[in-house]
Amino acid sequence: MSMSSGRGDRERLVVIGGDAAGMSAASQARRMRGPDELEIVAFERGHFSSYSACGIPYWVGGDVPERDRLIARTPQEHRARDIDLRMRTEVTEIDVAGRRVRARDLASGGESWVSYDGLVIATGARPIRPDMPGADAPGVHGVQTLGDGQALLDSLVHTGGRRAVVVGAGYIGVEMAEALINRGYEVTVVNRGSEPMSTLDPDMGRLVHRAMEGLGITMVNDAEVTKLLTGQDGRVRAVATEDAEYPADVVVLGIGVRPETALARAAGLPLGAHGGLLTDLAMRVRGHEEIWAGGDCVEVLNLVSGQEQYVPLGTHANKHGQVIGTNAGGGYATFPGVVGTAVSKVCDLEIARTGLREKDAHRVGLQFETVTIESTSRAGYYPGASPMTVKMLAERRTGRLLGVQIVGREGAAKRVDIAAVALTAGMTVEQMTALDLGYAPPFSPVWDPVLVAARKATSKVRAT
């Protein structure tokens, strides 16, 4: 890191955001350089640092018994490692030319400028709130932060009725629907798509739809929410679409997130088509040697499509932080990109995907073949074998693997990792058929379901 400083020999790294990417970067930079060489100041506007947002639905649903289980490292633990983490402090402006940030103490309202030699922007994402009447009414909740999760739990405790409506059927929507079922609520999911889980192709989303209905969740697809209705007390009482009203004592918004890049935009930093910051392979903001960015506020390269994509996941955020911290600490590391791997569950149904969906492949001009196979998680004769559906996309003529989706019971989701490795390596489906995967009857059939799909895809590609 070629940073000069006006504070003697010690340089200052300023970090905006105290969660996964920001504090991973701060911790890694501290491992690289001691406090005598590098001062690290981090700002977090919330009440918590270094926590797992991915765990919030399981905490709300009761699988995780207490909030603090989701906190990886407290502010006190960061400070003990010579990281000056200032909680409840919001950065309101980045002065790129002056290499400084304006910070506001949210308790006192006091503001101050803090100069930097290196800057890490890890401002995360914000939940999409529909721009419509009632969206901010009491009883309407997003679930992006631990504070959001606590507010929702408090709302559930103080709510008299037992009717919940979840708006959106992506990962968060589906997971929150299950969490509310576990809490004893009647749950309706209102989804604008034709099937839940738009990260899957609709034919695979239909399998998730059936599983949700099997849990007692009411699925309303192809429905656009038009307004949230409130009662005389001001609390939400129903969710309205063009065709119907769905009574609600509590509403959870699961319609996704957007990169929190208002600060970066105001500072004139480069943003992509999805509103996320654009970085180079070292996670430096393009055109700015001394500024890095990572986590849910950046766009990443999809290695399969070759295009920038917005993929807000904790796995990426932690990797970004490691890369940034290494570089900010004077070392060298890169983040090459992603293949788009994600897993989830509804009750005992496991859902996994990696690579491109059919519409993604069409969008970037790829011609492809698809195959879908039914198999089992273990040898068919072994106790506990359960059905599994695998869908695979392969490029026409070359046979290059383009994407895999898996829906099944126990043992289904993590099988997608085979495909994630194959995608990263640029393998063809024919090459995949020769993979030396582990086999024993308790773990898989002789031909693993992913390899069965690869064999079928190989035959189909050869025939074209």
Side-chain angles (χ1 to χ4, degrees):
M1 178 171 64
S2 57
M3 301 193 307
S4 60
S5 173
R7 292 170 299 279
D9 293 331
R10 196 161 74 140
E11 297 165 353
R12 179 183 290 155
L13 181 68
V14 167
V15 179
I16 308 174
D19 199 9
M23 297 319 293
S24 291
S27 298
Q28 178 64 6
R30 175 55 73 228
R31 280 190 284 269
M32 300 286 292
R33 299 175 73 184
D36 293 339
E37 293 181 11
L38 181 65
E39 178 188 5
I40 303 175
V41 181
F43 298 104
E44 168 54 48
R45 66 185 179 187
H47 293 274
F48 306 98
S49 67
S50 299
Y51 60 88
S52 170
C54 306
I56 292 172
Y58 307 106
W59 166 40
V60 172
D63 296 319
V64 177
E66 57 193 35
R67 181 188 67 201
D68 288 356
R69 294 271 186 99
L70 301 181
I71 299 173
R73 194 167 281 161
T74 64
Q76 293 77 14
E77 288 171 320
H78 283 301
R79 291 174 192 135
R81 304 177 74 223
D82 290 303
I83 296 170
D84 180 6
L85 174 55
R86 304 178 191 180
M87 301 299 293
R88 300 291 292 144
T89 307
E90 182 173 18
V91 172
T92 58
E93 186 180 347
I94 301 170
D95 175 8
V96 174
R99 289 196 179 191
R100 59 182 189 160
V101 300
R102 189 204 299 264
R104 177 189 297 144
D105 184 313
L106 294 176
S108 69
E111 292 193 345
S112 60
W113 285 100
V114 178
S115 61
Y116 64 79
D117 299 292
L119 177 66
V120 179
I121 301 173
T123 44
R126 67 183 186 280
I128 298 170
R129 275 193 177 259
D131 183 17
M132 63 181 65
D136 296 317
V140 180
H141 296 272
V143 281
Q144 178 71 3
T145 66
L146 281 191
D148 294 338
Q150 189 64 63
L152 174 57
L153 278 171
D154 293 344
S155 189
L156 296 179
V157 167
H158 295 110
T159 297
R162 310 298 292 175
R163 296 168 302 183
V165 174
V166 178
V167 181
Y171 293 105
I172 292 295
V174 166
E175 289 166 0
M176 289 308 305
E178 182 184 350
L180 291 163
I181 282 280
N182 291 346
R183 287 273 173 189
Y185 277 72
E186 295 174 39
V187 179
T188 300
V189 177
V190 180
N191 173 38
R192 67 190 300 182
S194 61
E195 295 291 353
M197 300 295 291
S198 63
T199 53
L200 304 176
D201 286 324
D203 54 335
M204 298 296 281
R206 200 163 300 124
L207 303 176
V208 181
H209 183 164
R210 288 185 204 135
M212 292 175 73
E213 290 186 329
L215 276 177
I217 296 166
T218 301
M219 277 300 307
V220 182
N221 291 315
D222 293 312
E224 189 82 48
V225 174
T226 54
K227 56 186 170 180
L228 303 177
L229 305 174
T230 53
Q232 290 184 336
D233 58 358
R235 280 187 64 85
V236 70
R237 66 170 180 83
V239 171
T241 66
E242 289 183 2
D243 306 318
E245 286 183 15
Y246 302 94
D249 303 297
V250 65
V251 172
V252 176
L253 301 175
I255 49 181
V257 297
R258 290 194 181 102
E260 182 64 273
T261 49
L263 262 181
R265 184 187 298 276
L269 299 176
L271 305 182
H274 308 279
L277 276 154
L278 296 175
T279 67
D280 63 14
L281 289 172
M283 301 306 298
R284 287 178 309 196
V285 173
R286 292 180 193 173
H288 297 271
E289 287 279 326
E290 76 288 353
I291 305 177
W292 292 267
D296 290 358
C297 65
V298 305
E299 297 186 15
V300 292
L301 176 67
N302 184 299
L303 297 172
V304 189
S305 71
Q307 296 195 336
E308 302 290 339
Q309 190 178 356
Y310 182 56
V311 190
L313 285 176
T315 48
H316 304 160
N318 279 284
K319 289 171 188 165
H320 294 167
Q322 287 286 307
V323 169
I324 292 168
T326 298
N327 291 324
Y332 173 69
T334 61
F335 182 80
V338 305
V339 293
T341 309
V343 295
S344 188
K345 71 182 245 330
V346 183
C347 196
D348 64 342
L349 186 79
E350 299 183 3
I351 307 154
R353 55 97 63 215
T354 190
L356 307 182
R357 298 164 297 180
E358 289 191 36
K359 68 178 182 181
D360 302 323
H362 281 303
R363 187 182 299 126
V364 295
L366 290 166
Q367 294 194 0
F368 58 91
E369 302 292 341
T370 70
V371 297
T372 303
I373 64 101
E374 304 285 338
S375 184
T376 54
S377 57
R378 305 171 179 179
Y381 55 79
Y382 193 88
S386 57
M388 185 183 310
T389 304
V390 180
K391 180 174 182 177
M392 186 171 285
L393 279 68
E395 186 175 17
R396 194 169 289 170
R397 291 182 59 201
T398 69
R400 177 171 68 111
L401 179 69
L402 296 179
V404 171
Q405 299 164 40
I406 306 175
V407 176
R409 306 290 164 176
E410 182 187 2
K414 287 297 281 179
R415 269 186 166 85
V416 82
D417 291 342
I418 304 166
V421 173
L423 281 168
T424 305
M427 295 179 73
T428 66
V429 287
E430 186 168 6
Q431 287 170 332
M432 288 180 70
T433 62
L435 286 172
D436 186 12
L437 303 182
Y439 160 69
F443 302 106
S444 77
V446 172
W447 278 93
D448 187 272
V450 173
L451 299 192
V452 174
R455 284 178 66 182
K456 189 172 179 181
T458 300
S459 298
K460 198 164 183 182
V461 168
R462 279 177 177 165
T464 57

